[in-house]
């Protein structure tokens, strides 16, 4: 059998001076992971336990926060093990699995944000039809599709990558993302086209849909009363900020692979850490502070704790 198929372990070459700063890295990442779990879980529990938060908008927010925890769990435990290990390696099969989970949950983020945009559109633009359109069945279908569609589509390139011959065994990152393709001897035109279709389906189309719905909301709100404009700003602005933040971080993830050899290792590490640290913490802070009802329950919770 060819040597490329015999190698089962990949070196994660994106780490910088692990031997010198391993315990510092470990403490920082463990603290951030704990914060991600606790912050996101607190808001999810508030949504679960309070009846007035059992509305479609808050259910989608809860799903988005659960998705953030799952997305972080794909990366953080392995990262913590690597900081305490002599060698930062991963089996190729585990690398492909991490690649699949990273992008399927990333795609779910976009689709959940699109579902939230649709909910806001119906609420503000078709208020009389809102209870009929956004019923339990609609919410369940949107949630299921948000997780199943990206997972099933990303499974194809992940499955194809699992059987590819490798010509390189070092990834210039601290986890397995699309730098996985740099290991493969040949990347076919069909593979590139298929990946572009997936990118369009799970990222670009949801983003265009979100922008379209919020443009419609903006136009209708502008013609409506001050109260409607205020409601639109309070509920839509956090979603837009989260979308812009996540889109910028995803754009960085795509661009760094194209500039693989030109990107300084330390800068790549800093930007990658921002991707995995900043966004999962940004979501609960944004929705906890900006969403009036959630903020109210959080204040009561902390007041009671004191």
């Amino acid at each position: 059998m060819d040597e490329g198929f015999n190698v089962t372990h990949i070196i994660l070459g994106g780490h910088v001076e692990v031997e010198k700063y391993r315990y510092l890295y470990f403490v920082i990442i463990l603290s951030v992971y704990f914060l991600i779990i606790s912050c996101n879980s607190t808001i999810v529990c508030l949504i679960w336990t309070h009846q007035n938060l059992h509305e479609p908008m808050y259910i989608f927010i809860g799903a988005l926060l659960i998705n953030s925890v799952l997305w972080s769990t794909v990366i953080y435990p392995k990262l913590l093990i690597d900081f305490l290990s002599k060698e930062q390696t991963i089996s190729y099969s585990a690398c492909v699995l991490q690649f699949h989970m990273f992008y399927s949950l990333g795609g779910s983020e976009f689709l959940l944000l699109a579902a939230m945009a649709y909910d806001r559109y119906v609420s503000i633009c078709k208020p009389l039809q809102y209870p009929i359109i956004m019923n339990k069945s609609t919410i369940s279908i949107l949630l299921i599709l948000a997780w199943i569609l990206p997972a099933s589509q990303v499974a194809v390139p992940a499955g194809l990558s699992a059987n590819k011959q490798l010509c390189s065994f070092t990834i210039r990152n601290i986890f397995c993302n699309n730098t996985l393709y740099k290991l493969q001897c040949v990347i076919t035109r069909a593979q590139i086209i298929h990946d572009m279709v997936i990118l369009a389906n799970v990222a670009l189309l949801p983003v265009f849909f979100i922008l379209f719905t919020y443009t419609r909301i903006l136009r209708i709100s502008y013609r409506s009363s001050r109260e409607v404009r205020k409601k639109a700003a309070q509920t839509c602005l956090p979603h837009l900020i989260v979308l812009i933040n996540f889109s910028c971080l995803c754009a960085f993830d795509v661009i760094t692979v194209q500039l693989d050899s030109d990107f300084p290792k330390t800068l790549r590490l800093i930007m990658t850490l921002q991707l995995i640290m900043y966004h999962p913490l940004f979501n609960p802070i944004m929705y906890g502070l900006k969403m009036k009802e959630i903020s109210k329950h959080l204040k009561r919770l902390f007041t009671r704790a004191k």
Side-chain angles (χ1 to χ4, degrees):
M1 188 181 284
D2 192 281
E3 186 187 358
F5 291 105
N6 287 328
V7 176
T8 56
H9 283 81
I10 305 300
I11 298 167
L12 298 168
H15 293 275
V16 176
E17 297 192 60
V18 179
E19 297 80 9
K20 190 176 180 181
Y21 299 112
R22 68 171 72 248
Y23 296 112
L24 178 63
Y25 287 151
F26 182 85
V27 170
I28 291 171
I29 293 299
L30 183 63
S31 302
V32 172
Y33 188 41
F34 175 77
L35 275 173
I36 289 168
I37 292 173
S38 56
C39 291
N40 285 281
S41 299
T42 299
I43 296 179
V44 170
C45 288
L46 286 176
I47 293 168
W48 180 271
T49 54
H50 291 88
Q51 194 68 35
N52 69 324
L53 298 181
H54 292 181
E55 295 178 11
M57 178 175 67
Y58 298 112
I59 292 169
F60 288 130
I61 289 172
L64 194 72
L65 299 181
I66 290 170
N67 196 71
S68 292
V69 173
L70 294 173
W71 190 73
S72 301
T73 303
V74 170
I75 300 164
Y76 278 76
K78 173 63 177 135
L79 204 54
L80 290 168
I81 292 168
D82 285 339
F83 289 142
L84 299 181
S85 303
K86 278 188 176 182
E87 295 180 348
Q88 290 72 49
T89 61
I90 185 171
S91 69
Y92 185 62
S93 56
C95 189
V96 171
L97 178 62
Q98 190 178 54
F99 163 87
H100 174 261
M101 295 300 294
F102 178 76
Y103 286 110
S104 62
L105 291 169
S108 296
E109 186 97 6
F110 282 112
L111 290 177
L112 287 169
L113 286 169
M116 292 161 78
Y118 178 67
D119 171 70
R120 291 300 82 208
Y121 170 75
V122 177
S123 174
I124 294 167
C125 302
K126 300 180 179 181
L128 297 178
Q129 296 173 274
Y130 183 75
I132 300 167
I133 296 173
M134 295 306 295
N135 54 42
K136 287 183 179 179
S137 298
T138 305
I139 296 165
S140 300
I141 290 167
L142 289 174
L143 289 175
I144 291 167
L145 289 175
W147 273 304
I148 288 180
L149 282 179
S152 58
Q153 291 195 56
V154 178
V156 176
L160 292 173
S161 294
N163 299 315
K164 286 280 186 176
Q165 185 177 353
L166 307 181
C167 288
S168 175
F169 310 107
T170 301
I171 284 180
R172 295 188 60 183
N173 206 348
I174 57 176
F175 64 92
C176 296
N177 60 351
N178 53 11
T179 50
L180 181 74
Y181 291 137
K182 294 289 180 180
L183 305 178
Q184 298 170 9
C185 297
V186 178
I187 301 174
T188 62
R189 186 185 292 266
Q191 191 177 352
I192 294 169
I193 293 170
H194 188 267
D195 286 352
M196 288 175 68
V197 170
I198 293 171
L199 179 65
N201 288 342
V202 302
L204 297 180
L205 288 178
V207 168
F208 289 140
F209 175 78
I210 293 165
L211 294 176
F212 170 76
T213 53
Y214 284 143
T215 303
R216 295 275 296 168
I217 289 168
L218 188 65
R219 286 177 61 188
I220 291 171
S221 300
Y222 182 74
R223 297 171 190 166
S224 303
S225 65
R226 185 180 176 183
E227 189 177 334
V228 173
R229 288 197 295 270
K230 187 179 177 182
K231 179 188 175 183
Q234 283 179 342
T235 57
C236 296
L237 190 61
H239 303 331
L240 274 175
I241 294 170
V242 168
L243 173 68
I244 292 165
N245 169 64
F246 191 65
S247 298
C248 291
L249 292 172
C250 289
F252 161 78
D253 180 68
V254 173
I255 290 166
T256 47
V257 175
Q258 305 305 318
L259 303 174
D260 188 51
S261 57
D262 303 325
F263 232 77
K265 192 175 180 180
T266 304
L267 181 59
R268 178 192 294 274
L269 176 64
I270 292 167
M271 292 299 292
T272 303
L273 288 174
Q274 282 195 27
L275 172 67
I276 64 173
M277 292 167 68
Y278 179 57
H279 182 70
L281 282 174
F282 183 75
N283 280 358
I285 292 169
M286 177 56 62
Y287 291 119
L289 294 177
K290 293 293 182 183
M291 302 303 287
K292 189 177 177 181
E293 288 300 318
I294 294 176
S295 179
K296 192 190 299 181
H297 285 297
L298 277 173
K299 286 175 183 175
R300 285 177 188 169
L301 179 67
F302 289 123
T303 304
R304 200 159 52 235
K306 286 179 182 179

